[in-house]
Amino acid sequence: MTASFHNKILRVNLTDGTTRVEEPGAVYFRRYLGGWNIIADVLLKEVPAGADPLGPENKLVFAPGVLTGLAVSGVSRNAVGAKSPLTGGFGAAEVGGDWGAQLKRAGFDALIVEGAAEKPVYLWIKDGEVEIRDATHLWGQLTKETQATIREELGDRRVEVAMIGPGGEKLARYACIMNGTKDAAGRTGLGAVMGSKHLKAVAVRGTQSLEGADNDTLRDMARAMAEAINSGAKGGTLHKYGTGVGVEGGVLSGNLPIRNFRDGEFPGAIKLSAETFMPQIGIGMDGCFACAMRCKKVVKAEAPFTLDPDYGGPEYESFGALGSCCGVDDIIAVSKATELCNAYSLDTISCGVTVAFAMECFENGLLTLADTGGIDLRFGNGEALVQVVELIGKREGIGDLLAGGSLRAAEKLGGGALHYAMQAKGQEYPMHEPRFKRGLAIAYAVSPTGADHCHALHDIMLVNAGPDGFVANEGLRALGLLEPIPLEDIGPAKVRATLYNMVRSVAGNCACLCLFVPWSTDEQVRLLRAATGWDMSVHELYKVGERALTLARLFNAREGFGPQDDRLAPRSYGPTTSGALAEGGIDPAALEAAMHTYYGMMGWERETGVPTREKLEELDVAWAEAYLP
Amino acid sequence: MTASFHNKILRVNLTDGTTRVEEPGAVYFRRYLGGWNIIADVLLKEVPAGADPLGPENKLVFAPGVLTGLAVSGVSRNAVGAKSPLTGGFGAAEVGGDWGAQLKRAGFDALIVEGAAEKPVYLWIKDGEVEIRDATHLWGQLTKETQATIREELGDRRVEVAMIGPGGEKLARYACIMNGTKDAAGRTGLGAVMGSKHLKAVAVRGTQSLEGADNDTLRDMARAMAEAINSGAKGGTLHKYGTGVGVEGGVLSGNLPIRNFRDGEFPGAIKLSAETFMPQIGIGMDGCFACAMRCKKVVKAEAPFTLDPDYGGPEYESFGALGSCCGVDDIIAVSKATELCNAYSLDTISCGVTVAFAMECFENGLLTLADTGGIDLRFGNGEALVQVVELIGKREGIGDLLAGGSLRAAEKLGGGALHYAMQAKGQEYPMHEPRFKRGLAIAYAVSPTGADHCHALHDIMLVNAGPDGFVANEGLRALGLLEPIPLEDIGPAKVRATLYNMVRSVAGNCACLCLFVPWSTDEQVRLLRAATGWDMSVHELYKVGERALTLARLFNAREGFGPQDDRLAPRSYGPTTSGALAEGGIDPAALEAAMHTYYGMMGWERETGVPTREKLEELDVAWAEAYLP
């Protein structure tokens, strides 16, 4: 029977130039699906404890899922993972575009890169073959240039390229990996791992089409979703504007981070809202492989900065981090900073929050004009923002300090700078205020990758039920979340809701499903069944997520992480200066209690947060017991 | 919206004669579904620790599920529960027939009986009303007589009666509750609880029809299942013969218990096989409310014993316990013993295994002709079997001793008799050899109700995959059991498979689904959705089962049960005298290890087996923390 995976994992060793293909078997793919689980399997088994994330012992895993590459909306993401240079722990990020689908169509389910090349190289994968090619001439190029050069020299404009710009080459701790010029595997600094291996790019081209076990069902489901999106029945403003409409509402609720999560008022927020700025700078929408949603903004401008439409436009996380979080409301400056991040391969979230950190340090005298090379790095200065982002990308001047991320910079600066570093486990907060969405307070603290909003409970997913608090929306009710939970709660009920949704989200990540295309959990299972021919259930899908979270936890435990690392940035324990959260602030004792509740609920040791032997066995990964600390 | 439950639980206090109706709300029913969960909720919250199971403090719960009473095959069972007089722990049994459906159609989702009447009474529940009526004239009557008298005095032949015979009245520790004359809530001695409350019967009549939220779907699914059963596409030999065909195969495999689980050879087995004896004594088939399966044998004979077709015929568990386990191959004697159990309200399993115990004691001189009143209680003596069963029902002579069950009798007899008591937690083994089906070794040991085959993994549910062992059938694969497990394994892989299937079975018990009507897990969820209008998932259904198992465990922990009670009968650690298991025997250290693995996998304390606070919170029953020991 045809199934939407090949049972082929490609390994490339850059130290000795060898390649090989492994066939781990159908059970492996059913147990893991893809993404995090494959990454965790490699990191635990193959990367020695204490390995330098930027050394040749680290391994870089490109892991699509069993759905990736099918002609269906919202299934063509791929995960990338390694030991994180930003956190020192489990590193993973998911990314859209066309690259993951091309890899699948080229005949591989995943790519594992080992060792390090002596000089710059890139990989050229085509229809089951792989070649390690010289990339000396590409080193130093921005991403757009890199992609164009590779396509030209391979003589194929349909080649998809995952790559780094100078930010990754120069080992910026939050360097991302770009799928083309618009889509970033943003978090946890995986671009620096690529840079440390002197791997400039992975070019892929597959000419085979990918079929599932039940193509009629896949076609019918794909068509129904596309029609629902195109008719406006599903997708709503995402299909029209991409992320980030109604941003001014985020000021009222307190969700939008303002000036490094310090303040509660920002009149310019409306200027950052997609429905405001798209009529000014938007020239269209773009999307991922085979996806009808097309939720990616394309923007263009000439002044005060030129915006190149070939780079990705500003999405919510980017214009939050580089905009409101830096106090900047000039959307063209913010979009330029976004473009630079994509060109240099920097994570817009960590970059923006690190610049915001620097701005607060500057306003408080911890950084001076001498440090910044004369840049007036005040909150709200859009020009300074653009200048500093480029310096980070080049790792020049103040950019060298800031390329280490807010935590490393704060440790170097001292003098109270740690209070301005908005990070958990060293990774900067995304653009959702955990003092407002308290499920995120739990998730930011406990997430194995550091602060992350993609595998978390956004409390707005709980439908407002009036005075009793929030009840679950339809997707969450199917997990058995039946009663209202007050917004401010971080007790066991909120922990449970957060945990359930984290597991569900991570399971979706493993399948490389997109959060934006609203496949219900039932439909996800139907897609998986039709793609693979397996009689999977929601229960089994949920176990896939538990497995990934538990293996990632185990990896972190082996690397020395413990409960003391499951904490928020100090500022989150106090209020904002004004606005909706002026009386906010997470109770640290309540958060600590929530962590232990979470550990126990996950079947991990309540006190230490280390997965139990029995939980590993229950999750059918008894092999992982060998890595218990 | 209409849903297939009423949000009405009827309480009757027999001490003061009061009745009341509670409305616990839709969330209660969604969280619990019915059955075990409702029973555990009542036992934990309302029955004080250390209460005498036969005292007025114990409560008797009749709990159908949210599906019970719908016109669909395989959904009309009801559970009954109380603190068990047999084990001293969590007591529960499920039963078919028409009674549960009648209770639902009379407007109630459950019935809780409290206190104790001074003299015999019965309850008369009709269309939302309840009356406590005198039953002095019924006391001492057999079940058939009881039902007839009640129907006559209520003037309605369609009244359904749950009741006890003299065995329950006289507090036989394994007395059952009969739904009519054919269907027994057999296990854990609930008939004795009924007797202790002087409650002879609960007569119900409902004239309302029960509708669900989506009756079109219910009707379509019911019709499709009925057609599949009637055409032979589903149900197979169950529909034709009921349980227990190919019994001689059980000798070859070792699954059939022979002479108190001692021996491995039994040439008469073929005479006990349904396809052999039904042509001799069968006169038809009967079934439960609205069910197309009709898997219950109707038998008739005149000699050597008269068999009354109004009583239930011999099903596998009954003719195993009263037949091969007693070494008796005369199906008419065995059927007579079964009939007596139904008439006197005795559990055929515990009764048969207790008689087998007595036979082995007799053969070894621990019981003498003086003890038996002259009955030659050797293995294989069908006449002695019939005589002794009647003595137990009347609690006369040797029957008084044996009415306590094998464990209590062994403790009284001493002299090594304990070695012949085939029980776990005081409840006798069912007719599946745990040395052969080793998932049952785990389940018998850990089950909160003592040895039980209805919420367990029968390893034959794992399809033979040749030399690698057994892999899961379709239903279990949907739980993520992906790889072959050797038949003899009782390590973590077998524990996991057993645990998953126990959870799935108990979830089904809560919904009061029948094990014999092959609704797939997907279809179970579709039935629940159509019946209730809730958007339930397999994940949520599985959590219902985890919840029930965990609450039952917590109840037992509160009553003093611990790991030392999760053990098999001593004989199970050694081989049979001959046959397939002549080199069999469970390694006690391996079983003990399996228990701790099970605890950990369930999210219970690994060492003690006590549910953790966090697991209770994760299962949304934080209220139960108050009952942690």
Side-chain angles (χ1 to χ4, degrees):
Chain A
M1 188 174 62
T2 307
S4 61
F5 65 99
H6 309 282
N7 187 26
K8 288 195 192 311
I9 293 182
L10 175 63
R11 277 184 189 264
V12 175
N13 186 308
L14 294 179
T15 301
D16 62 15
T18 57
T19 67
R20 70 177 195 274
V21 176
E22 288 170 357
E23 300 186 353
V27 166
Y28 172 96
F29 288 97
R30 183 161 173 179
R31 189 182 284 131
Y32 285 167
L33 292 188
W36 276 35
N37 273 312
I38 292 180
I39 294 164
D41 184 279
V42 171
L43 294 187
L44 278 166
K45 290 176 179 166
E46 303 181 25
V47 176
D52 178 1
L54 298 178
E57 289 179 328
N58 200 4
K59 298 200 179 183
L60 185 64
V61 182
F62 294 81
V66 295
L67 297 176
T68 309
L70 291 169
V72 175
S73 291
V75 307
S76 278
R77 294 170 73 78
N78 67 275
V80 191
K83 182 171 179 180
S84 167
L86 186 62
T87 69
F90 182 77
E94 297 85 43
V95 53
D98 294 85
W99 188 90
Q102 282 290 330
L103 185 71
K104 288 289 291 289
R105 288 177 177 239
F108 295 112
D109 301 302
L111 164 67
I112 302 170
V113 180
E114 313 175 341
E118 283 194 16
K119 46 182 200 168
V121 296
Y122 76 97
L123 302 184
W124 168 222
I125 297 169
K126 185 176 181 188
D127 287 337
E129 302 293 327
V130 57
E131 187 184 342
I132 304 175
R133 294 172 66 104
D134 179 64
T136 312
H137 58 300
L138 301 172
W139 208 249
Q141 287 187 0
L142 301 180
T143 52
K144 180 177 170 179
E145 202 179 347
T146 304
Q147 175 170 275
T149 309
I150 289 175
R151 283 179 173 172
E152 195 175 358
E153 71 189 40
L154 297 176
D156 188 343
R157 291 186 51 78
R158 297 174 73 179
V159 165
E160 296 296 333
V161 184
M163 66 199 138
I164 52 172
E169 296 172 11
K170 291 172 188 293
L171 311 180
R173 291 271 170 178
Y174 47 82
C176 66
I177 295 172
M178 294 297 298
N179 277 4
T181 51
K182 298 179 173 177
D183 297 282
R187 310 310 314 272
T188 68
L190 301 166
V193 178
M194 207 159 158
S196 75
K197 297 188 179 304
H198 297 121
L199 178 64
K200 177 68 177 177
V202 182
V204 294
R205 178 79 169 93
T207 59
Q208 309 153 28
S209 79
L210 190 70
E211 303 235 310
D214 175 359
N215 292 299
D216 291 343
T217 296
L218 290 171
R219 194 180 320 110
D220 291 348
M221 291 183 74
R223 187 178 297 144
M225 180 58 83
E227 283 171 4
I229 290 170
N230 290 326
S231 72
K234 290 185 176 170
T237 57
L238 271 176
H239 183 48
K240 190 167 179 191
Y241 291 121
T243 53
V245 299
V247 169
E248 66 278 18
V251 180
L252 296 176
S253 68
N255 189 55
L256 183 73
I258 300 168
R259 295 181 205 90
N260 202 29
F261 293 79
R262 185 188 69 189
D263 299 340
E265 290 166 85
F266 190 59
I270 198 165
K271 294 161 69 181
L272 297 180
S273 207
E275 73 279 26
T276 308
F277 70 73
M278 280 301 278
Q280 301 162 15
I281 60 172
I283 60 167
M285 299 297 288
D286 200 353
C288 299
F289 179 82
C291 185
M293 187 63 91
R294 297 183 66 74
C295 62
K296 293 162 186 293
K297 300 175 184 70
V298 183
V299 298
K300 187 175 180 182
E302 301 300 334
F305 300 96
T306 44
L307 295 180
D308 181 348
D310 284 349
Y311 281 111
E315 301 300 338
Y316 176 74
E317 294 298 324
S318 303
F319 69 66
L322 296 158
S324 65
C325 198
C326 291
V328 176
D329 64 5
D330 174 355
I331 188 63
I332 297 181
V334 170
S335 298
K336 186 67 191 179
T338 300
E339 178 183 309
L340 289 167
C341 284
N342 292 345
Y344 283 87
S345 73
L346 299 172
D347 174 31
T348 55
I349 299 174
S350 280
C351 184
V353 176
T354 300
V355 173
F357 158 83
M359 287 173 163
E360 192 164 3
C361 287
F362 186 83
E363 292 200 348
N364 286 280
L366 294 169
L367 284 173
T368 64
L369 282 171
D371 296 316
T372 63
I375 298 172
D376 183 26
L377 200 55
R378 282 175 296 103
F379 280 122
N381 186 342
E383 197 166 347
L385 166 73
V386 171
Q387 288 175 298
V388 167
V389 170
E390 188 148 20
L391 288 174
I392 295 170
K394 294 177 170 172
R395 207 148 184 169
E396 292 176 357
I398 185 73
D400 186 52
L401 175 75
L402 300 182
S406 58
L407 181 61
R408 280 180 177 75
E411 285 166 347
K412 283 187 184 152
L413 291 175
L418 271 176
H419 190 71
Y420 308 141
M422 297 307 298
Q423 51 70 41
K425 294 189 181 64
Q427 172 157 281
E428 286 71 20
Y429 280 17
M431 293 300 107
H432 304 270
E433 172 56 78
R435 287 169 289 191
F436 167 60
K437 295 179 180 173
R438 296 204 160 183
L440 289 184
I442 296 164
Y444 285 3
V446 81
S447 163
T449 58
D452 192 295
H453 64 295
C454 289
H455 45 269
L457 177 77
H458 292 251
D459 297 55
I460 47 170
M461 294 168 79
L462 303 173
V463 178
N464 196 332
D468 288 339
F470 286 64
V471 293
N473 62 16
E474 191 170 327
L476 293 174
R477 273 204 310 280
L479 293 178
L481 301 172
L482 304 178
E483 290 184 303
I485 306 170
L487 194 56
E488 66 275 13
D489 180 49
I490 59 167
K494 183 66 68 68
V495 173
R496 174 173 180 259
T498 298
L499 183 156
Y500 276 26
N501 201 53
M502 283 182 80
V503 170
R504 194 175 72 135
S505 305
V506 169
N509 284 357
C510 293
C512 292
L513 284 157
C514 181
L515 292 170
F516 290 165
V517 177
W519 296 112
S520 70
T521 310
D522 272 5
E523 287 169 332
Q524 292 175 6
V525 170
R526 280 178 60 208
L527 284 173
L528 285 164
R529 289 181 177 186
T532 62
W534 302 325
D535 51 356
M536 287 192 79
S537 67
V538 179
H539 175 264
E540 193 179 344
L541 181 59
Y542 190 93
K543 288 289 168 192
V544 168
E546 280 191 75
R547 192 172 288 127
L549 273 167
T550 298
L551 291 176
R553 180 84 191 178
L554 179 59
F555 178 78
N556 280 357
R558 195 193 67 175
E559 298 301 320
F561 286 79
Q564 71 284 356
D565 301 299
D566 294 340
R567 298 292 181 266
L568 294 173
R571 173 163 279 163
S572 297
Y573 300 116
T576 53
T577 54
S578 65
L581 302 171
E583 308 198 351
I586 308 289
D587 174 12
L591 183 74
E592 188 173 343
M595 289 301 101
H596 291 286
T597 300
Y598 185 101
Y599 306 154
M601 285 186 178
M602 281 298 291
W604 305 341
E605 295 286 353
R606 192 194 177 283
E607 295 307 321
T608 64
V610 176
T612 64
R613 187 172 293 269
E614 293 76 25
K615 187 67 190 178
L616 294 173
E617 291 166 349
E618 190 264 304
L619 293 172
D620 207 17
V621 285
W623 60 263
E625 293 171 24
Y627 305 99
L628 282 167
Chain B
M1 187 173 63
T2 308
S4 61
F5 64 98
H6 309 283
N7 187 25
K8 288 196 192 310
I9 293 181
L10 175 63
R11 276 184 189 266
V12 175
N13 186 306
L14 294 179
T15 301
D16 62 16
T18 58
T19 67
R20 68 178 197 274
V21 176
E22 288 170 358
E23 301 186 353
V27 166
Y28 172 97
F29 287 96
R30 182 160 174 178
R31 189 181 285 131
Y32 286 166
L33 291 187
W36 275 34
N37 272 312
I38 292 179
I39 293 163
D41 185 280
V42 170
L43 294 188
L44 277 166
K45 289 177 179 167
E46 304 181 24
V47 176
D52 178 0
L54 298 178
E57 289 179 327
N58 200 3
K59 298 199 178 184
L60 184 64
V61 182
F62 294 81
V66 295
L67 296 177
T68 309
L70 291 169
V72 175
S73 291
V75 307
S76 279
R77 292 170 74 78
N78 67 275
V80 191
K83 182 172 179 179
S84 167
L86 186 62
T87 70
F90 182 77
E94 297 83 44
V95 53
D98 294 85
W99 187 90
Q102 283 289 331
L103 185 71
K104 287 288 292 289
R105 289 177 176 239
F108 296 112
D109 302 300
L111 164 67
I112 301 169
V113 181
E114 314 175 339
E118 285 194 15
K119 44 182 203 169
V121 296
Y122 76 98
L123 302 184
W124 167 222
I125 297 169
K126 185 177 179 188
D127 286 338
E129 302 292 327
V130 57
E131 188 183 342
I132 303 174
R133 294 172 66 104
D134 179 64
T136 312
H137 57 301
L138 301 171
W139 208 248
Q141 288 187 358
L142 302 180
T143 53
K144 179 177 172 180
E145 202 179 347
T146 303
Q147 175 171 273
T149 309
I150 288 176
R151 284 179 172 171
E152 193 176 359
E153 70 190 38
L154 297 176
D156 187 344
R157 290 187 52 78
R158 298 174 71 181
V159 166
E160 295 296 334
V161 184
M163 67 200 138
I164 53 173
E169 296 171 11
K170 291 173 187 293
L171 311 179
R173 293 271 170 178
Y174 47 82
C176 66
I177 296 173
M178 295 296 298
N179 277 4
T181 50
K182 297 181 174 178
D183 297 281
R187 311 309 317 268
T188 69
L190 301 165
V193 178
M194 207 159 157
S196 75
K197 296 189 179 306
H198 298 120
L199 178 64
K200 178 68 177 177
V202 182
V204 295
R205 178 79 168 94
T207 59
Q208 309 151 31
S209 78
L210 190 70
E211 304 236 309
D214 175 359
N215 292 300
D216 290 344
T217 296
L218 290 171
R219 195 180 320 110
D220 291 348
M221 291 182 73
R223 187 178 297 144
M225 179 57 82
E227 284 171 5
I229 291 169
N230 289 327
S231 72
K234 291 186 175 169
T237 57
L238 271 176
H239 183 48
K240 189 167 180 191
Y241 291 120
T243 52
V245 300
V247 170
E248 66 279 18
V251 180
L252 296 176
S253 67
N255 190 55
L256 183 74
I258 300 167
R259 295 179 206 91
N260 201 31
F261 294 78
R262 185 189 68 188
D263 298 341
E265 290 166 86
F266 191 59
I270 199 165
K271 295 162 66 180
L272 296 179
S273 207
E275 74 279 26
T276 308
F277 70 73
M278 280 301 278
Q280 302 162 15
I281 60 172
I283 60 167
M285 299 296 289
D286 200 352
C288 299
F289 179 82
C291 185
M293 187 63 89
R294 299 184 64 77
C295 62
K296 292 162 187 290
K297 300 174 183 70
V298 183
V299 297
K300 188 173 181 182
E302 301 300 333
F305 301 96
T306 45
L307 295 180
D308 181 348
D310 285 348
Y311 282 110
E315 302 300 338
Y316 175 73
E317 294 299 323
S318 304
F319 68 68
L322 295 158
S324 64
C325 197
C326 291
V328 176
D329 64 6
D330 174 355
I331 189 62
I332 297 181
V334 171
S335 299
K336 186 67 190 179
T338 299
E339 177 184 310
L340 289 168
C341 284
N342 292 344
Y344 282 89
S345 74
L346 299 172
D347 174 32
T348 55
I349 299 174
S350 280
C351 185
V353 176
T354 300
V355 173
F357 157 85
M359 287 173 163
E360 193 163 3
C361 288
F362 185 83
E363 292 200 348
N364 286 280
L366 295 169
L367 284 173
T368 64
L369 282 171
D371 296 316
T372 64
I375 298 172
D376 183 26
L377 200 55
R378 284 175 294 102
F379 281 121
N381 186 342
E383 196 168 347
L385 166 74
V386 171
Q387 287 175 299
V388 167
V389 170
E390 188 149 19
L391 287 175
I392 293 171
K394 293 178 170 172
R395 209 151 182 165
E396 290 176 358
I398 186 72
D400 186 52
L401 175 76
L402 300 182
S406 58
L407 181 62
R408 280 181 178 75
E411 284 166 348
K412 282 188 186 152
L413 291 175
L418 270 175
H419 190 70
Y420 309 139
M422 296 308 297
Q423 49 71 39
K425 294 189 183 62
Q427 172 157 282
E428 286 71 20
Y429 281 16
M431 293 301 108
H432 304 270
E433 172 57 79
R435 286 169 288 191
F436 167 61
K437 295 180 181 173
R438 296 206 162 181
L440 289 183
I442 297 165
Y444 285 2
V446 80
S447 163
T449 57
D452 192 293
H453 63 295
C454 290
H455 45 269
L457 177 77
H458 293 251
D459 298 55
I460 46 168
M461 295 168 77
L462 304 174
V463 178
N464 196 331
D468 287 340
F470 285 65
V471 295
N473 63 15
E474 192 170 326
L476 293 174
R477 273 204 309 281
L479 294 178
L481 301 172
L482 304 178
E483 290 184 303
I485 305 171
L487 193 57
E488 66 274 15
D489 180 48
I490 60 166
K494 185 64 72 67
V495 174
R496 174 172 178 258
T498 299
L499 182 155
Y500 276 27
N501 202 53
M502 282 181 80
V503 169
R504 193 175 73 134
S505 305
V506 169
N509 283 358
C510 292
C512 292
L513 285 156
C514 181
L515 292 170
F516 290 165
V517 177
W519 295 112
S520 70
T521 310
D522 271 6
E523 287 170 332
Q524 291 176 6
V525 170
R526 280 177 59 207
L527 284 173
L528 284 164
R529 288 180 177 187
T532 62
W534 302 325
D535 49 356
M536 287 193 79
S537 65
V538 179
H539 175 264
E540 193 179 344
L541 181 59
Y542 190 92
K543 288 288 166 192
V544 167
E546 280 192 74
R547 192 171 288 128
L549 273 167
T550 299
L551 291 176
R553 181 84 191 178
L554 179 60
F555 178 78
N556 279 358
R558 194 193 67 176
E559 299 300 320
F561 285 80
Q564 71 285 357
D565 300 298
D566 294 340
R567 298 290 181 267
L568 294 173
R571 172 162 280 164
S572 297
Y573 301 116
T576 53
T577 53
S578 64
L581 302 171
E583 308 198 351
I586 308 288
D587 173 12
L591 183 74
E592 188 173 343
M595 291 299 102
H596 291 286
T597 299
Y598 185 101
Y599 306 155
M601 285 187 178
M602 281 297 292
W604 304 342
E605 295 286 352
R606 192 193 178 285
E607 295 309 320
T608 64
V610 175
T612 65
R613 187 172 293 269
E614 293 75 25
K615 187 66 188 179
L616 295 172
E617 291 166 350
E618 190 265 306
L619 292 172
D620 207 17
V621 285
W623 61 262
E625 293 170 24
Y627 305 100
L628 283 167

